Amino acid sequence: MKEFTKGKRILVEIEDFSVKGDGISKTGEKPVVVPFSVPGDRLKVRITDIKKTYVLGEIEEILEPSEHRIAPRCPHFGECGGCPWQMIDYKAQLAFKRDALVKLLSEFMGTSLPLDDVSGMEDPWFFRNKAQYPLKRLGSGKVIMGFYRKGTNHIVDLEECPVEYRMLNELINPIKAVSYTHLRAHET
């Protein structure tokens, strides 16, 4: 009898991160990979998929949050395909990234290397100076613009992105308006 079945709800404690940055619990016969989780989280998770070497789950309830868990700044967090670590305190993000690099280098080289702490930004918001925003006209004529939902080609309509330069954010709504007007003009 298999321990994991699709749809089953289990309790897990997140212990580490996968190479892709998802939380991992070593509960049971296979590791359970849980996106948007943080080491130290105690969670109620629903199994969404069973792979050959791991099980994929999604958070149903945070029973006890990690000391590093914070409220994400972006209202689109979890829906938009970017910024998968906004729920982690920035200083902890830097430490987790350093640890991940040490682990990867150790596995690759067969020995551990001493690495300094990762230097971060003074303010980790409104810093990104490049973005590609897809646009789409809906059946109603409304134009949406944003980023793709993770793993899809569905656009998450944005009003603001807290990692893009403020100037780029100020252009989102005017670009939508110009695009709407332009498309309407070509219909007639």
Side-chain angles (χ1 to χ4, degrees):
M1 180 171 138
K2 289 189 176 180
E3 184 177 340
F4 296 116
T5 56
K6 203 169 181 181
K8 182 177 181 178
R9 284 149 178 84
I10 60 172
L11 302 179
V12 299
E13 183 165 342
I14 302 301
E15 303 164 42
D16 202 355
F17 283 114
S18 72
V19 174
K20 293 182 179 181
D22 296 325
I24 297 177
S25 174
K26 297 185 176 126
T27 304
E29 62 190 41
K30 294 179 184 179
V32 179
V33 176
V34 185
F36 308 114
S37 63
V38 183
D41 278 346
R42 287 191 58 247
L43 308 169
K44 181 179 179 183
V45 170
R46 185 177 62 81
I47 303 299
T48 57
D49 204 359
I50 300 170
K51 304 289 187 181
K52 187 175 182 176
T53 58
Y54 66 95
V55 174
L56 188 60
E58 68 181 11
I59 299 172
E60 282 204 338
E61 184 180 351
I62 299 172
L63 303 171
E64 187 179 319
S66 166
E67 66 180 311
H68 305 296
R69 181 176 281 279
I70 61 169
R73 182 171 183 164
C74 181
H76 303 288
F77 173 75
E79 183 183 13
C80 172
C83 308
W85 276 20
Q86 269 195 33
M87 76 294 185
I88 304 172
D89 170 80
Y90 183 61
K91 286 184 182 179
Q93 286 184 35
L94 298 176
F96 288 139
K97 289 174 183 180
R98 180 202 171 278
D99 293 347
L101 182 58
V102 167
K103 189 187 309 180
L104 285 171
L105 288 172
S106 295
E107 289 173 11
F108 179 72
M109 299 178 71
T111 184
S112 63
L113 298 172
L115 290 180
D116 292 337
D117 290 340
V118 175
S119 298
M121 296 177 278
E122 219 172 279
D123 181 14
W125 303 106
F126 301 108
F127 65 90
R128 193 174 290 160
N129 63 6
K130 179 183 177 192
Q132 294 182 6
Y133 290 104
L135 292 120
K136 180 178 181 180
R137 187 174 79 169
L138 302 177
S140 64
K142 176 184 175 185
V143 174
I144 62 172
M145 178 175 137
F147 295 116
Y148 289 117
R149 189 169 284 128
K150 185 177 180 177
T152 74
N153 62 357
H154 300 288
I155 298 171
V156 175
D157 193 25
L158 298 181
E159 299 295 320
E160 176 185 82
C161 174
V163 298
E164 297 293 339
Y165 273 162
R166 283 187 166 88
M167 182 185 71
L168 293 175
N169 279 296
E170 292 169 8
L171 295 173
I172 292 174
N173 285 326
I175 290 171
K176 288 182 193 180
V178 167
S179 299
Y180 176 77
T181 304
H182 178 75
L183 291 169
R184 297 281 294 169
H186 286 284
E187 288 178 344
T188 56

